[in-house]
């Protein structure tokens, strides 16, 4: 039964490839082909969920061995990355749950997206996302999980910017994408540290060898994985991106930020439970970040004026509680909390468009008087505690100014110091023209003009090139007698070689370095 695990992510991936090829070559286009596209997507995820349920049943009955390997993906010296999968444990539970939720979302999307521009594109992205998430929770090594992690993030970007003609959607998608890259960088660093200190990136080996790590090593790896989980699950200080992600269609919001993708960070923590238990500092960080996120989500959610924003901050608060539970060591509780929240929040986001009709006669529950009197808290909540503005002030603007300064330094300091010498010699023979063009010469109409360069190194190169050209012109091209011509030709070839060497950037940099040494 373990071999079934490979088909669970493979089926939606195949559906995505078929739909993508259909869109690319014009086989699937317009309202007439909507049924074909939806049948391919829903059929693939239905089979995938069936296989996931069968695999889960076999695991509960004790028939699974625990893993399946489909062969080696990459090998280099002691690095061995295999295409292996987990066929037992919490990952199989999540595969069954996520595949069922994805099936519900896809079936819901068929009517919701009917006659919408980009119908086929939507189902292509959703099928690709389904394959990525199932691969993420079933992969047996950190590299495979990271591949699913990245593809899911790319699909998130594409669906947030689904209405790419709207500037707000495009800007929010870019902001979310860039924010998540911080967590991705931490994930890559964690993979590197795991291989350096444990000699493996296989999840089973990483968790089993975790007790052999020192406290410092375990803390370093755990902190990197924690930052990756914070970014993916929108924990403090990465909370604001989750509200920006609501620009996508409602079904994608439900599947990405209500039911499936936002729980990837919690799954990563539960998967690495032995590693985090070796790192008390990382556990404290999980608890603190989770608590801050839960409080933040609760307070900000009180002042939201639209349904999707209220739901997204409620989801953020619940995710914060899951991180708090992991930080306090209640791993099993966090797992149950994840499964229950995925079902409830996915249903709530799907029914968000009909919520106003459902609560038409229900009065709004008043806020407690103790909270209502805190006007400063109301203002801070409306502004979402200025986290976006603080991020811009502390990170975005300094990086932008640094990039501007580096560009200025490169253009006006480095560029002028190195110069851009280029010989502008007028050739007599066609062979000389070919040689000059091969070294980047710019020919002009003045036979006596030399190369024009800027900066000290540029002037030195200009003068050197001029002298060599004069020498070549007098002794090679205008030489008298066969002996002088032959001798001059040899000198000319040597001069050309020297010219070509002088035009290489490393020698220009060397001129600048020598000049600075002489000056000092």
């Amino acid at each position: 039964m373990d071999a079934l695990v490979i088909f669970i992510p493979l089926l939606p991936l195949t559906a995505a490839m078929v739909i993508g090829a259909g869109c690319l070559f014009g086989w699937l286009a317009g309202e007439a082909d909507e049924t074909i596209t939806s049948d391919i997507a829903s059929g693939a995820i239905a089979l995938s969920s069936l296989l996931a349920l069968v695999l889960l049943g076999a695991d509960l009955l004790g028939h699974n061995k625990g893993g399946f390997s489909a062969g080696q993906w990459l090998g280099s010296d002691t690095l061995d990355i295999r295409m292996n999968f987990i066929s037992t444990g919490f990952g199989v539970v999540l595969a069954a749950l996520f595949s069922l939720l994805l099936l519900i979302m896809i079936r819901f999307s068929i009517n919701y997206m009917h006659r919408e521009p980009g119908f086929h594109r939507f189902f292509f992205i959703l099928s690709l996302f389904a394959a990525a998430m199932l691969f993420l929770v079933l992969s047996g090594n950190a590299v495979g999980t990271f591949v699913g992690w990245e593809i899911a993030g790319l699909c998130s970007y594409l669906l947030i910017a689904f209405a790419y003609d709207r500037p707000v959607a495009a800007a929010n998608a870019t902001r979310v994408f860039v924010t998540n890259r911080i967590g991705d960088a931490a994930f890559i660093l964690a993979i590197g540290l795991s291989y350096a200190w444990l000699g493996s990136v296989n999840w089973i080996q990483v968790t089993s060898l975790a007790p052999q790590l020192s406290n410092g090593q375990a803390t370093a790896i755990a902190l990197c994985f924690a930052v990756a989980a914070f970014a993916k699950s929108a924990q403090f200080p990465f909370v604001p991106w989750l509200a920006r992600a609501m620009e996508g269609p409602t079904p994608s919001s439900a599947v990405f930020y209500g039911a499936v993708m936002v729980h990837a960070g919690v799954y990563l923590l539960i998967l690495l439970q032995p590693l985090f238990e070796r790192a008390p500092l990382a556990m404290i960080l999980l608890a603190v970040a989770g608590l801050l996120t839960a409080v933040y989500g609760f307070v900000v959610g009180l002042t939201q004026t639209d349904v999707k924003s209220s739901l997204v901050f409620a989801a953020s608060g619940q995710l914060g509680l899951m991180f708090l539970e992991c930080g306090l060591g209640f791993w099993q509780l966090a797992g149950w909390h994840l499964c229950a929240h995925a079902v409830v929040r996915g249903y709530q986001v799907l029914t968000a468009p009909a919520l106003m009709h459902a609560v038409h006669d229900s009065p709004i529950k008043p806020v407690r008087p103790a909270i209502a009197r805190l006007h400063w808290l109301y203002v801070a909540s409306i502004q979402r505690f200025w986290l976006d503005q603080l991020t811009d002030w502390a990170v975005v603007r300094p990086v932008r100014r640094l990039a501007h300064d580096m560009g200025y330094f490169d253009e006006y300091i480095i560029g002028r110091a190195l110069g851009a010498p280029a010989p502008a010699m007028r050739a007599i023979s066609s062979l000389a023209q070919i040689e000059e063009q091969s070294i980047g010469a710019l020919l002009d109409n003045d036979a006596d003009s030399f190369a024009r360069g800027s900066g000290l190194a540029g002037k030195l190169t200009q003068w050197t090139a001029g002298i060599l050209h004069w020498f070549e012109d007098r002794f090679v091209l205008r030489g008298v007698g066969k002996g002088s011509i032959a001798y001059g030709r040899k000198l000319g070839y040597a001069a050309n070689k020297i010219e070509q060497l002088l035009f290489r950037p490393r020698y220009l940099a060397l001129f600048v370095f020598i000049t600075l040494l002489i000056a000092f």
Side-chain angles (χ1 to χ4, degrees):
M1 302 301 292
D2 298 84
L4 294 177
V5 68
I6 193 173
F7 296 101
I8 297 174
L10 183 61
L11 286 170
L13 178 61
T14 304
M17 294 173 63
V18 172
I19 297 172
C23 294
L24 181 63
F25 296 105
W27 303 330
L28 298 174
E31 182 181 349
D33 295 328
E34 285 185 0
T35 303
I36 300 175
T37 298
S38 59
D39 287 345
I40 294 173
S42 59
I45 195 62
L47 289 175
S48 183
S49 61
L50 179 61
L51 292 178
L53 290 173
V54 172
L55 186 68
L56 177 60
D59 183 38
L60 295 176
L61 294 175
H63 297 316
N64 294 348
K65 296 180 181 179
F68 178 78
S69 178
Q72 189 183 52
W73 178 62
L74 176 65
S76 177
D77 195 19
T78 60
L79 178 64
D80 182 23
I81 302 176
R82 308 191 68 82
M83 188 68 70
N84 60 330
F85 298 87
I86 299 172
S87 60
T88 187
F90 189 59
V92 177
V93 175
L94 284 188
L97 176 62
F98 286 171
S99 60
L100 286 174
L101 292 174
L102 285 164
L103 175 60
I104 294 171
M105 306 300 175
I106 288 178
R107 295 300 302 175
F108 179 89
S109 302
I110 294 174
N111 291 328
Y112 190 91
M113 299 297 296
H114 177 53
R115 294 181 177 176
E116 286 284 338
F119 179 93
H120 305 281
R121 174 165 51 94
F122 178 85
F123 279 91
F124 161 71
I125 299 172
L126 203 56
S127 298
L128 183 62
F129 169 74
M133 282 304 304
L134 294 173
F135 189 65
L136 188 155
V137 298
L138 292 173
S139 178
N141 60 75
V143 175
T145 299
F146 181 73
V147 170
W149 191 279
E150 284 296 290
I151 296 176
L154 174 62
C155 294
S156 171
Y157 169 79
L158 294 175
L159 284 177
I160 296 171
F162 185 76
Y164 53 84
D165 55 332
R166 297 178 60 244
V168 175
N172 284 355
T174 304
R175 184 79 174 231
V176 171
F177 187 80
V178 172
T179 302
N180 275 274
R181 299 291 73 76
I182 300 174
D184 297 343
F187 201 125
I188 294 174
L189 181 58
I191 294 175
L193 293 178
S194 299
Y195 175 68
W197 291 334
L198 296 174
S200 175
V201 294
N202 188 287
W203 287 132
I204 296 177
Q205 295 182 10
V206 169
T207 54
S208 62
L209 296 177
Q212 301 179 9
L213 293 171
S214 65
N215 288 336
Q217 292 174 336
T219 300
I221 299 176
L223 287 177
C224 291
F225 279 123
V227 172
F230 290 161
K232 202 67 168 180
S233 293
Q235 296 300 290
F236 195 87
F238 303 103
V239 188
W241 76 256
L242 195 57
R244 291 179 176 271
M246 291 295 104
E247 287 293 332
T250 295
S252 66
S253 299
V255 72
F256 278 81
Y257 317 113
V260 180
M261 195 186 78
V262 290
H263 298 100
V266 184
Y267 163 73
L268 183 64
L269 300 182
I270 296 175
L271 179 66
L272 295 173
Q273 173 186 344
L275 175 65
F276 278 92
E277 289 177 343
R278 286 281 300 161
L281 178 61
M283 296 281 284
I284 294 173
L285 181 62
L286 293 181
V288 171
L291 180 60
L292 289 175
T293 306
V295 174
Y296 178 87
F298 170 75
V299 175
V300 176
L302 291 175
T303 58
Q304 299 308 302
T305 56
D306 63 280
V307 177
K308 290 179 72 173
S309 293
S310 298
L311 289 175
V312 79
F313 281 106
S316 180
Q318 292 296 320
L319 289 167
L321 292 177
M322 295 178 207
F323 274 76
L324 177 60
E325 291 159 1
C326 291
L328 296 177
F330 301 122
W331 301 99
Q332 189 173 6
L333 176 61
W336 282 105
H337 193 173
L338 187 159
C339 296
H341 181 258
V343 175
V344 173
R345 197 66 65 193
Y347 169 78
Q348 287 182 333
V349 179
L350 284 181
T351 57
L355 183 63
M356 297 304 296
H357 175 75
V359 300
H360 179 68
D361 296 325
S362 301
I364 298 176
K365 184 179 179 180
V367 180
R368 294 180 180 179
I371 300 178
R373 287 192 294 266
L374 300 176
H375 299 292
W376 64 269
L377 186 61
Y378 175 80
V379 174
S381 178
I382 284 289
Q383 297 296 328
R384 298 178 181 178
F385 287 84
W386 298 279
L387 277 186
D388 269 339
Q389 292 84 345
L390 289 173
T391 303
D392 289 340
W393 173 78
V395 179
V396 177
R397 292 179 183 176
V399 171
R400 185 179 296 168
R401 287 196 295 266
L402 178 62
H404 178 269
D405 293 342
M406 293 300 294
Y408 180 88
F409 181 78
D410 180 66
E411 181 177 358
Y412 292 98
I413 305 300
I414 300 298
R416 291 185 177 182
L418 295 181
M425 304 165 290
R426 184 176 182 83
I428 298 178
S429 66
S430 59
L431 178 61
Q433 292 178 355
I434 295 174
E435 290 180 353
E436 289 171 352
Q437 292 174 1
S438 68
I439 62 174
L442 299 177
L443 306 179
D444 60 18
N445 296 322
D446 186 1
D448 296 328
S449 64
F450 294 121
R452 293 183 176 85
S454 59
L456 178 60
K459 292 299 182 182
L460 288 175
T461 307
Q462 172 186 327
W463 297 334
T464 305
I467 293 172
L468 293 174
H469 176 261
W470 176 86
F471 185 84
E472 181 183 9
D473 181 69
R474 293 296 186 276
F475 287 88
V476 176
L477 300 177
R478 301 182 184 180
V480 180
K482 295 183 179 179
S484 62
I485 293 177
Y487 181 75
R489 184 179 292 113
K490 293 180 181 180
L491 293 178
Y493 288 152
N496 285 335
K497 292 292 184 181
I498 296 174
E499 276 187 296
Q500 292 177 6
L501 290 176
L502 290 174
F503 294 146
R504 295 182 180 180
R506 56 177 177 269
Y507 293 107
L508 297 178
L510 181 62
F511 288 156
V512 175
F513 181 71
I514 293 174
T515 303
L516 293 175
L517 288 178
I518 295 174
F520 285 104

